[in-house]
Amino acid sequence: AWRDKKRKHLSLRMSMSEKSTATVNQSDQVIGFIGLGKIGYALARNIITKSSTNDKTTTQTAIHYDINEEISTQFAKEIPQSKAASSPEEVASSCDVLFTALPNDAILLSVVFGPSKKEEESGGIHNALRPSSIHVSCSTVSPTTSRIIASAHAKRSIGFVAAPIFARPDGLALGHATIPLSSSHPPLLAQIQ
């Protein structure tokens, strides 16, 4: 299906082994993370620490949010390059690339569009993201949910990449994961690999 020119979707298989990098290719960008559960925590830690060890000239700054304040505070202590935010909207308005790792479609839509879960009544991160920023959804959600978010973001010139993570939390903590990337705008994929 990914070869279908009408859909213009590109899917790649990416491994986060120790030899590969899971970094954003632009230097001095602020990376945001929403959702620090078992998968989100390991993902955020890996991206921030690998970015800073792979490129000594780049200061990788990050901002994060989790509904559980204890986890958010713990992450800030463990990863001093990342600042705890008070809301998902604060993260979205502060970053160039936003990673969300949320448990299901309903929660992702609620974070993106606010309690209504509808674009036209949006009060979530969708309105807080800056044009030209990129939202990378690492949640395993339906293609319909991804299309709804991608379409809404495109209207505001916000990039969207679906990147569900296939890994156990302990494997991801070690950097072992398969992450297929999909976007209707393939140049975004090169920016986040």
Side-chain angles (χ1 to χ4, degrees):
W2 65 275
R3 291 183 183 163
D4 181 358
K5 291 182 182 179
K6 292 179 185 174
R7 291 179 65 192
K8 296 184 182 175
H9 284 272
L10 180 61
S11 181
L12 301 175
R13 190 164 181 230
M14 181 177 120
S15 172
M16 287 180 55
S17 68
E18 291 184 32
K19 293 181 181 178
S20 69
T21 59
T23 62
V24 176
N25 291 336
Q26 305 295 320
S27 62
D28 300 325
Q29 284 193 331
V30 176
I31 301 176
F33 298 93
I34 297 174
L36 297 175
K38 292 179 181 178
I39 293 293
Y41 198 103
L43 173 74
R45 184 180 59 230
N46 285 347
I47 289 175
I48 295 168
T49 57
K50 285 188 184 281
S51 292
S52 57
T53 56
N54 288 333
D55 185 357
K56 302 288 186 199
T57 63
T58 301
T59 304
Q60 190 67 65
T61 57
I63 184 167
H64 64 272
Y65 174 81
D66 191 86
I67 196 165
N68 182 330
E69 288 183 36
E70 289 179 31
I71 290 174
S72 191
T73 301
Q74 175 186 333
F75 189 81
K77 287 179 182 175
E78 182 182 340
I79 309 294
Q81 304 96 311
S82 190
K83 171 191 161 207
S86 60
S87 70
E89 292 81 10
E90 181 184 355
V91 175
S93 67
S94 303
C95 66
D96 302 292
V97 177
L98 172 65
F99 288 85
T100 54
L102 300 166
N104 59 45
D105 295 58
I107 292 171
L108 177 61
L109 288 169
S110 178
V111 168
V112 172
F113 298 122
S116 72
K117 301 178 191 165
K118 297 178 183 176
E119 175 189 356
E120 44 292 338
E121 301 169 25
S122 180
I125 64 170
H126 173 68
N127 282 337
L129 285 163
R130 297 185 304 254
S132 79
S133 60
I134 302 170
H135 175 194
V136 182
S137 172
C138 298
S139 306
T140 304
V141 296
S142 74
T144 301
T145 295
S146 291
R147 284 187 206 104
I148 289 167
I149 295 168
S151 174
H153 283 353
K155 293 174 189 172
R156 294 197 54 239
S157 299
I158 298 165
F160 180 78
V161 176
I165 296 174
F166 300 108
R168 291 179 9 170
D170 57 340
L172 182 59
L174 296 171
H176 304 291
T178 298
I179 305 173
L181 306 175
S182 178
S183 178
S184 59
H185 189 65
L188 292 176
L189 302 176
Q191 288 183 272
I192 65 159
Q193 282 185 2

